Amino acid sequence: MATDPARPACPGPGGYPDPDPAWGPATRAVHAGHARTGFQETSEALFLTQGFVYDGAADAEAAFEGTLDRFTYARYENPTVSTFEERLRALEGAEACLATASGMSAVFSTLAALVRSGSRIVAGRALFGSTVTVFEDLLARWGVVTDYVDAHDLADWRRALATPADVVFFETPSNPMQDVVDVAAVSALAHAAGATVVVDNVLATPVLQRVLPQGADVVVYSATKHIDGQGRTMGGAVLGSREFVHGPLRLVLRNTGPTLSPFNAWVLLKGLETLPLRVRAQSAAALELARWLETRPGIGRVHYPFLDSHPQAALARAQMSGGGTVVTFDLVVDGRPAGRAEAFAFLDALRLVLISNNLGDTKSLVTHPATTTHRRLGPDGRARVGISDATVRLSVGLEEVADLRADLDQALAAVRAVRRPAA
Ligand SMILES: *Cc1c(COP(=O)(O)O)cnc(C)c1O
């Protein structure tokens, strides 16, 4: 079929317009990466298409040769997925971004692109459970060794990075105990040891913390969390230099296929439009609740990066523009740490806050990490990162703070009514 001269030109995956460099984050979140079609739609189009047709066989050849920038196949790229990638890239201020089907495919694909048999990873000990499984059960089988450090302790990093390493991996703040890692200092130690620094920035979000300017090389996200933020779809993303993202990472993603679906990309794209607004509001509410919780009977330690009582409050304030949407605290009954039954009684008594292992949602969610998300660590592993049966993780949503306070207060009263079972 011959080329139709009347057909409006659409960009190829490499031809999306750059956002105005003067735009601030909220403006980027709403407008960046939007290449309108000839219909001049207001809202981003949803391209539910696996493939793309060619005007002639020579165009197909040029596309596969890489001399023609155009879409070819949705495992490689799709216009809606590219729009999401471009918008998140603009928000993060990264050179390049590729989306994935979930946060774990972002983590795994990044590691697969960076390690080979015999590689050494140094990781912060407080990690998302599935990330530990990737290190211990998958990469270990392929001859990749992972050493763990207490990520808030620079001396521990210094010791571990006295030996060369290929990858340094950490979360900051960590989930759920809110350990804060000194991104600039650890990145400098990592680079001197020959390692690429990968940061799982899920808890902080691109709104509250940008780690690339602080020295990190690669950022990974579970878009399932705040980027959707409304409990609908899974998704993930990897951001970093053009050289890494469009080189070794793209090789893994294109050929192993953890592709973000166009539908999910469209949902996440619309999520990005309200991300700065939601995250700032949820973070402000979380700080208010964290301060209030510190004054309540029945609450022991409250773990939140922007509390004055946080051991790394100054570092958190230097690295982040808000403390995040998650507050972690220990329950206390009759002056001693709550047991499992009392923690369960607290969760069960909540009426507005929902029991769920997710976080970053507009609905406030509560988790008992020891029996769910961090079960796999075992009692010793949990003790090493500070999680006990008394620990509760609260992901703060967009409800009225007064309603959340009332719900937490009535649940604390319910715990006081429960007797601890005899030992
Ligand atoms: C949820 C989460 C992940 C994994 O993301 P999925 O989208 O569930 O695959 C990774 N890291 C952190 C810190 C998370 O909270």
Side-chain angles (χ1 to χ4, degrees):
M1 201 197 285
T3 304
D4 175 0
R7 184 176 304 153
C10 287
Y16 275 64
D18 273 330
D20 186 327
W23 285 354
T27 311
R28 287 167 183 247
V30 174
H31 290 288
H34 193 177
R36 287 194 169 77
T37 74
F39 287 117
Q40 295 284 56
E41 62 281 359
T42 304
S43 174
E44 298 73 7
L46 168 49
F47 291 94
L48 273 183
T49 183
Q50 300 162 340
F52 305 85
V53 297
Y54 303 91
D55 288 328
D59 273 4
E61 182 189 31
F64 275 74
E65 251 174 19
T67 51
L68 178 65
D69 179 40
R70 55 155 295 156
F71 290 90
T72 56
Y73 186 52
R75 172 149 51 77
Y76 292 180
E77 62 258 316
N78 166 286
T80 310
V81 176
S82 295
T83 305
F84 168 67
E85 290 165 343
E86 280 302 296
R87 188 163 293 178
L88 182 57
R89 186 184 75 75
L91 205 52
E92 188 74 41
E95 275 181 19
C97 171
L98 285 175
T100 57
S102 68
M104 282 321 301
S105 53
V107 169
F108 181 72
S109 303
T110 298
L111 293 167
L114 290 171
V115 299
R116 61 192 66 232
S117 173
S119 285
R120 174 170 182 257
I121 300 172
V122 178
R125 197 183 309 283
L127 289 174
F128 189 69
S130 289
T131 305
V132 178
T133 303
V134 166
F135 290 149
E136 294 304 305
D137 297 345
L138 297 179
L139 296 182
R141 257 206 265 144
W142 301 331
V144 176
V145 174
T146 305
D147 293 322
Y148 298 93
V149 300
D150 290 327
H152 56 91
D153 182 357
L154 263 185
D156 212 11
W157 283 107
R158 211 169 278 122
R159 266 191 302 277
L161 291 171
T163 311
D166 300 284
V167 177
V168 158
F169 189 104
F170 58 86
E171 299 173 15
T172 181
S174 69
N175 170 20
M177 298 315 287
Q178 314 272 2
D179 267 357
V180 176
V181 182
D182 188 330
V183 179
V186 171
S187 298
L189 290 169
H191 292 152
T196 300
V197 178
V198 182
V199 177
D200 181 335
N201 201 39
V202 163
L203 255 73
T205 81
V207 178
L208 301 180
Q209 175 170 267
R210 289 172 59 234
V211 295
L212 297 175
Q214 300 181 49
D217 302 299
V218 181
V219 190
V220 292
Y221 286 107
S222 165
T224 316
K225 309 294 165 54
H226 304 82
I227 293 176
D228 176 9
Q230 291 148 89
R232 301 165 298 191
T233 70
M234 305 292 294
V238 184
L239 299 106
S241 69
R242 205 170 286 112
E243 188 189 356
F244 171 70
V245 171
H246 289 175
L249 179 71
R250 184 145 79 172
L251 180 79
V252 172
L253 292 176
R254 283 189 152 196
N255 297 292
T256 65
T259 312
L260 180 63
S261 90
F263 181 81
N264 288 0
W266 184 82
V267 172
L268 296 171
L269 183 57
K270 301 313 277 182
L272 281 180
E273 294 188 354
T274 56
L275 181 74
L277 194 65
R278 283 184 285 111
V279 166
R280 285 183 196 131
Q282 288 171 240
S283 180
L287 176 60
E288 194 180 334
L289 282 172
R291 286 183 174 145
W292 172 80
L293 281 164
E294 280 194 312
T295 69
R296 301 317 288 164
I299 301 285
R301 276 284 304 279
V302 181
H303 309 266
Y304 186 75
F306 271 37
L307 282 180
D308 293 335
S309 59
H310 191 285
Q312 298 149 291
L315 175 62
R317 290 200 183 102
Q319 292 188 166
M320 305 170 71
S321 60
T325 65
V326 175
V327 182
T328 306
F329 51 91
D330 296 326
L331 293 169
V332 171
V333 181
D334 297 335
R336 50 175 172 68
R340 193 185 111 129
E342 289 149 338
F344 278 20
F346 175 76
L347 266 67
D348 291 348
L350 289 164
R351 295 176 192 145
L352 178 58
V353 179
L354 307 169
I355 302 173
S356 174
N357 45 280
N358 204 0
L359 62 84
D361 203 275
T362 51
K363 296 179 170 65
S364 289
L365 305 175
V366 70
T367 307
H368 187 240
T371 51
T372 58
T373 52
H374 293 71
R375 185 187 181 85
R376 217 200 100 112
L377 290 182
D380 292 346
R382 285 195 292 275
R384 292 193 80 157
V385 295
I387 301 171
S388 75
D389 280 353
T391 307
V392 173
R393 185 187 79 187
L394 174 67
S395 169
V396 179
L398 281 178
E399 301 92 341
E400 301 287 347
V401 173
D403 293 338
L404 294 171
R405 273 199 306 259
D407 195 33
L408 292 162
D409 250 348
Q410 65 81 25
L412 285 170
V415 178
R416 286 194 288 274
V418 176
R419 285 226 164 268
R420 192 179 213 190

